[in-house]
Amino acid sequence: MSPHGNPEVPASSATEINREAPKASPVVEPADIKSSPVVGPGETRVSTSSNTPGNAWGLWEVFVRSSRGLSHVHAGSLHAPDAAMALRNARDLYTRRNEGVSIWVVPADAIAASDPDSKGSFFESPQGKDYRHATYYTKSEGVKHL
Amino acid sequence: MAAQNLQSVPAELSRGESQEQSQEAAQREADGQANFDRVMAEDSRIEPRDWMPDAYRKTLLRQISQHAHSEIIGMQPEANWISRAPSLKRKAILMAKVQDEAGHGLYLYSAAETLGQNRDKMTADLIAGKARYSSIFNYPALTWADMGAIGWLVDGAAICNQVPLCRASYGPYGRAMVRICKEESFHQRQGFEILLELSHGTPEQKQMAQDAVNRWYAPALMMFGPPDDDSPNSRQSMAWNIKRFSNDELRSRFVGMMVEQVRVLGLTLPDSEIRFNEETRKWEHGPLDWNEFKEVLAGRGPCNAQRLERRREAHDDGAWVREAAAAYAAKRQAKQSMTTKEYAA
Amino acid sequence: MSSPETKATETKATETSAEAATGHGDISTGVPNAAPTGSGDSNASATRITPGNALRPEDIALEVRTGLVKPSGDVAEYALRLGDDALILAQRLGHWISRAPELEEDVALGNIALDQLGHARSFLTYAGGALANEDGTAKSEDDLAYFRREHEFRSAHLFEQPNGDFAVTIARQFVVSYYQFELYRRLTESSDETLAAIAAKAVKEVDYHRDHSAQWILRLAGGTDESRKRIIHGLKLVWPYVGELFEDDALVTRLAEAGAAVVPSSIREDFDRLIGEVLKEAGLEVPDVPSAPGGGRSGKHSEHLGYILAEMQVLAREYPGASW
């Protein structure tokens, strides 16, 4: 009944996205939103489609693998009532022109994102650590197979 | 519920209550402004969760939602001919094109949603007549040749407008436009080919093509918006790297392309004053009826009421379906968590 | 996506870039200093588009024109039946584009309509190979679609049924796609290579239509009281026309003996079983309604077909002989 993969389980590795974004709280109960609109620095929440009466079709983010061997890449978003329909809508919307061989859909509210305000503390450290890159090691230049 | 993790946050909502908080907020705002200015100066991109000036957010939201509405309303004049397309190949092409427009509306609504506005609200504004969309779609598609003229002139003008938008300073908007422009590359070509086929057909067919070009030419030129000296928002949009070229600049460019292409079609443009100004190195065209433009914009065009009613009808007729799917999902989820609890117990 | 990334993909695939196609300029985002060049993922673009590689109606037209394939009279008649079913359904479904319950569904129904239209074009083009115009040339898909009269069409009544509300459309699609899937699945083994090839392309697409309609059957049945009422009503409306799909006649029996066609009655059992599974999961019953006599295969149609054709054919008939 599901020729296009298990509709209920979009992709097991979708959780990787959560792992890579340590700053945000992954689960927020609806009650929390009301009591504390400010969850953390820059993590302010506004009311969205998914909790507005009249539209219970939540927002989903779509990731498409364009061919085997490549990563899934964010393609866009869409609305769907559940994961099964989100996958199908994604297939109809984002692969009409052969753009993909595999699709992930993730509820937009399941994605935790790093805080743009802490850009400095988050992304400063790698700067200047040239020794992590092969080009730092100039003396071995010209030596074969190195 | 944290869809907002990927969304930008209107500044007024993040304002705290206590003095301490408001000081903190002021500092954040100053830092944010500095970052925003730097991004603009570097011609880089603003992303949803970056701080941005309220006016920038509002301008974007207005422009992107209007753009989305235009795609959705723009489906109607062409959908009007799907059932009567004169060959099966043309029927398939037209269906695919109108379908694309639904997709484009969707991409754009998604981009607008990253600014904190949900699609339902935008749809509600549209069908309440509160939101604008491109006036051109308030003209009727009367003959098959209109499918050609819409593709060639209307999509042509749209692409002229949209290609620079791929570099718009707001990331999600630019990315949506890249996808849209790639898909639209066939839209203008299929329109051109419809006209080409007609102009090489019977005299009646050729007449049909010329008539359509005559009717769509001026409205297409007006798609670029009012003349620069009458377009108060343009300058700010250009400073914000949302708009890359002025209305008149794009219009002139478009006229130049059409002059070339209409010759291949063996048709004429209904404008005897088109000329290339050697001094300014720009194409010039005859006067446009901006009163008509304003009238149509104000709701007094041939199809305004019809277009909105059709959109409203589809939305209302679909309400029970959307509710059903949502209810089903909720029931499934409730059932699942029940089972989980049973296991836990 | 950054600009070098886009360009890398563009040179790699036979891709339509707006730049090449229209001369409107560069549509890459042009973000300066943000180019992950040389990364293994530099061509993992989610907007890389290709036309793919599959059997198209144009390929069949070429084979017919060059005399590479020519169906027998029987096979042509059979292809007309399949083609007309798909054509009339595509005409019906096309109406939903711009009217669906949600934008996502505009796109979904559009895809199904386009699939059906594609199948129709292939079958009709092939059928035309055995049917000559007055000047001796083979009839084209358009000759057949636009210049046959009502009684010359071979569609079954189910395909002609009005869209109704979304539930009726889904009910009709549910029956159609389960029927077409079983039919095309077997037809891939037809001794007629062209029929087999068309079926091989169509069966994969129809498989998705099955899935789409089944998903909606479940949701409408298990959603709200109103949606449940509507889908029950929808199924009731279309069910009288199910029987006609599985009726055998001399033509299909002859063709089946030669291994070219599928005997409709032979797929009823699988159809009933699979439909039954979905209905059971949805908590629905197979509607208990009397069957209508049908007659579409011999040119006796519903009242609806006349209107469908009037609209579909009007422009083409206004300009006979014109090219579009």
Side-chain angles (χ1 to χ4, degrees):
Chain A
M1 195 48 258
S2 54
H4 306 276
N6 184 347
E8 305 303 339
V9 188
S12 55
S13 32
T15 47
E16 284 168 14
I17 294 155
N18 276 334
R19 264 187 261 133
E20 285 166 6
K23 260 246 155 172
S25 45
V27 181
V28 180
E29 294 298 323
D32 291 350
I33 297 170
K34 281 187 205 120
S35 58
S36 60
V38 181
V39 179
E43 296 266 323
T44 316
R45 307 185 183 282
V46 293
S47 104
T48 63
S49 50
S50 46
N51 48 26
T52 306
N55 181 6
W57 286 25
L59 192 64
W60 297 75
E61 299 299 331
V62 179
F63 300 80
V64 173
R65 184 201 295 286
S66 59
S67 63
R68 302 188 76 82
L70 298 179
S71 304
H72 286 77
V73 172
H74 185 234
S77 42
L78 50 76
H79 284 267
D82 52 40
M85 292 310 280
L87 266 180
R88 283 157 184 79
N89 292 344
R91 174 260 193 198
D92 285 324
L93 189 62
Y94 288 104
T95 64
R96 298 203 296 297
R97 287 179 171 80
N98 247 354
E99 292 95 329
V101 297
S102 164
I103 298 173
W104 289 346
V105 291
V106 183
D109 56 19
I111 294 180
S114 64
D115 176 5
D117 290 348
S118 55
K119 231 175 267 175
S121 56
F122 244 60
F123 302 114
E124 183 54 38
S125 166
Q127 311 278 347
K129 297 198 170 53
D130 305 19
Y131 47 81
R132 279 199 172 109
H133 302 269
T135 46
Y136 180 73
Y137 303 90
T138 50
K139 283 185 185 155
S140 44
E141 233 164 60
V143 182
K144 278 184 182 171
H145 309 301
L146 197 69
Chain B
M1 295 292 126
Q4 44 287 2
N5 271 354
L6 300 178
Q7 284 186 340
S8 88
V9 181
E12 64 260 30
L13 286 175
S14 61
R15 277 178 200 134
E17 309 228 327
S18 76
Q19 203 167 10
E20 202 177 311
Q21 274 174 321
S22 71
Q23 264 173 2
E24 220 175 275
Q27 184 56 44
R28 262 215 304 281
E29 193 152 317
D31 291 349
Q33 180 74 56
N35 181 59
F36 181 82
D37 293 343
R38 191 172 54 245
V39 166
M40 289 302 137
E42 288 171 357
D43 194 5
S44 181
R45 300 291 176 267
I46 287 291
E47 292 296 343
R49 299 182 73 242
D50 289 333
W51 184 93
M52 61 187 93
D54 279 348
Y56 176 83
R57 173 194 311 280
K58 279 186 188 132
T59 298
L60 272 173
L61 199 52
R62 194 187 62 225
Q63 181 171 337
I64 301 173
S65 62
Q66 282 181 10
H67 197 156
H69 296 328
S70 302
E71 295 281 357
I72 299 308
I73 296 291
M75 295 168 75
Q76 293 183 28
E78 290 174 290
N80 183 39
W81 281 92
I82 289 176
S83 63
R84 292 175 291 168
S87 78
L88 296 186
K89 182 180 90 177
R90 293 284 169 213
K91 190 191 288 286
I93 293 169
L94 191 59
M95 264 191 208
K97 177 171 191 275
V98 181
Q99 186 200 34
D100 269 355
E101 279 149 16
H104 297 171
L106 249 159
Y107 306 154
L108 288 163
Y109 281 130
S110 300
E113 283 187 271
T114 64
L115 290 161
Q117 178 86 284
N118 72 50
R119 198 208 288 176
D120 263 18
K121 171 78 169 74
M122 290 184 266
T123 304
D125 285 351
L126 173 65
I127 58 188
K130 283 194 243 164
R132 280 184 177 169
Y133 55 88
S134 186
S135 259
I136 193 126
F137 301 117
N138 289 319
Y139 292 89
L142 299 174
T143 70
W144 172 252
D146 288 24
M147 298 304 97
I150 290 176
W152 179 51
L153 289 170
V154 177
D155 290 322
I159 294 171
C160 248
N161 251 330
Q162 289 169 355
V163 166
L165 287 174
C166 295
R167 294 185 290 126
S169 60
Y170 187 58
Y173 191 26
R175 290 191 287 273
M177 292 316 307
V178 169
R179 184 171 278 274
I180 289 171
C181 284
K182 282 196 177 196
E183 297 188 354
E184 286 223 336
S185 59
F186 101 80
H187 291 188
Q188 195 187 12
R189 284 190 165 201
Q190 66 86 35
F192 184 86
E193 286 189 11
I194 287 175
L195 291 176
L196 192 67
E197 196 75 48
L198 290 174
S199 86
H200 290 98
T202 65
E204 278 167 307
Q205 283 181 300
K206 183 165 185 175
Q207 178 50 41
M208 192 198 281
Q210 185 63 59
D211 165 67
V213 170
N214 292 350
R215 280 182 292 112
W216 290 96
Y217 169 75
L221 288 200
M222 291 194 271
M223 282 174 72
F224 293 97
D228 292 348
D229 46 24
D230 193 21
S231 178
N233 299 327
S234 278
R235 195 172 310 149
Q236 180 61 72
S237 283
M238 287 177 76
W240 278 333
N241 296 339
I242 298 173
K243 217 172 150 63
R244 298 284 176 169
F245 302 99
S246 79
N247 295 352
D248 286 337
E249 165 70 29
L250 288 170
R251 186 161 26 237
S252 154
R253 239 190 245 187
F254 177 67
V255 168
M257 290 184 210
M258 295 301 106
V259 166
E260 288 287 314
Q261 294 171 9
V262 80
R263 272 191 222 125
V264 183
L265 287 176
L267 299 171
T268 56
L269 295 174
D271 185 346
S272 57
E273 294 176 46
I274 293 182
R275 67 183 196 105
F276 185 69
N277 185 327
E278 290 290 347
E279 230 167 83
T280 59
R281 311 293 299 163
K282 283 188 197 318
W283 285 92
E284 292 173 355
H285 54 82
L288 295 166
D289 185 352
W290 290 105
N291 276 334
E292 179 185 300
F293 179 80
K294 282 172 189 154
E295 283 292 291
V296 178
L297 201 62
R300 291 183 286 272
C303 300
N304 298 55
Q306 176 194 337
R307 301 282 187 247
L308 281 188
E309 174 59 13
R310 165 83 168 278
R311 189 69 230 134
R312 191 194 59 73
E313 202 179 8
H315 189 72
D316 289 356
D317 287 353
W320 70 269
V321 180
R322 296 191 300 274
E323 282 159 20
Y328 177 83
K331 282 184 204 171
R332 289 280 298 236
Q333 211 162 27
K335 212 168 146 190
Q336 229 161 28
S337 59
M338 280 276 276
T339 330
T340 323
K341 271 177 201 155
E342 278 164 25
Y343 274 120
Chain C
M1 192 175 59
S2 67
S3 95
E5 190 179 325
T6 317
K7 292 213 175 93
T9 0
E10 276 168 3
T11 46
K12 216 165 223 159
T14 49
E15 180 189 35
T16 348
S17 90
E19 182 176 7
T22 64
H24 282 286
D26 190 359
I27 60 164
S28 57
T29 49
V31 184
N33 313 319
T37 39
S39 112
D41 254 357
S42 63
N43 50 355
S45 160
T47 56
R48 191 185 59 147
I49 58 181
T50 59
N53 188 14
L55 181 70
R56 303 164 310 156
E58 286 85 354
D59 302 325
I60 297 168
L62 185 69
E63 291 187 342
V64 167
R65 213 166 42 240
T66 55
L68 215 61
V69 298
K70 185 174 163 61
S72 69
D74 273 359
V75 168
E77 175 73 13
Y78 184 62
L80 272 186
R81 294 180 180 186
L82 304 182
D84 285 348
D85 284 352
L87 175 61
I88 300 303
L89 183 63
Q91 181 75 3
R92 283 296 196 204
L93 288 172
H95 186 78
W96 276 106
I97 305 174
S98 75
R99 292 180 175 88
E102 190 52 281
L103 296 177
E104 281 82 354
E105 201 56 31
D106 272 296
V107 181
L109 289 171
N111 276 346
I112 296 176
L114 279 168
D115 286 345
Q116 292 286 339
L117 185 55
H119 309 162
R121 294 181 62 198
S122 292
F123 282 126
L124 293 184
T125 300
Y126 186 42
L131 306 161
N133 285 311
E134 278 169 25
D135 63 1
T137 56
K139 281 195 187 286
S140 68
E141 52 176 343
D142 289 335
D143 293 329
L144 292 170
Y146 292 95
F147 295 95
R148 272 182 304 157
R149 295 170 64 195
E150 208 175 321
H151 68 271
E152 295 171 291
F153 273 77
R154 292 292 175 262
S155 46
H157 288 214
L158 177 68
F159 301 88
E160 302 164 8
Q161 295 308 305
N163 283 341
D165 64 8
F166 186 70
V168 177
T169 291
I170 289 298
R172 185 184 63 200
Q173 199 60 42
F174 178 57
V175 175
V176 167
S177 45
Y178 275 79
Y179 157 74
Q180 285 182 332
F181 180 79
E182 293 307 318
L183 176 66
Y184 293 154
R185 187 165 69 84
R186 291 163 173 84
L187 202 57
T188 58
E189 282 156 33
S190 169
S191 56
D192 185 296
E193 281 178 25
T194 307
L195 287 182
I198 300 171
K201 161 82 173 140
V203 72
K204 291 179 217 147
E205 296 176 347
V206 168
D207 193 11
Y208 184 77
H209 306 172
R210 277 198 320 169
D211 179 55
H212 174 268
S213 61
Q215 293 293 336
W216 273 115
I217 291 277
L218 293 176
R219 279 161 185 76
L220 297 184
T224 61
D225 290 346
E226 183 183 6
S227 68
R228 186 170 178 81
K229 220 178 282 170
R230 284 183 189 247
I231 190 61
I232 290 172
H233 184 64
L235 288 166
K236 217 172 178 177
L237 281 183
V238 303
W239 222 262
Y241 311 101
V242 172
E244 182 189 6
L245 303 176
F246 303 98
E247 275 167 24
D248 301 339
D249 65 3
L251 176 85
V252 284
T253 312
R254 253 194 333 268
L255 283 171
E257 274 164 14
V262 178
V263 183
S265 62
S266 71
I267 59 178
R268 180 78 202 232
E269 203 185 312
D270 281 347
F271 171 86
D272 283 341
R273 182 172 49 80
L274 293 168
I275 283 259
E277 282 173 14
V278 178
L279 291 180
K280 191 177 164 209
E281 192 182 341
L284 297 172
E285 312 257 323
V286 174
D288 183 17
V289 290
S291 264
R297 305 301 186 206
S298 55
K300 292 191 203 83
H301 293 283
S302 65
E303 285 180 346
H304 311 297
L305 185 65
Y307 290 94
I308 297 173
L309 297 186
E311 192 174 349
M312 185 174 81
Q313 297 178 336
V314 60
L315 183 58
R317 287 189 173 224
E318 227 178 297
Y319 298 86
S323 166
W324 303 96

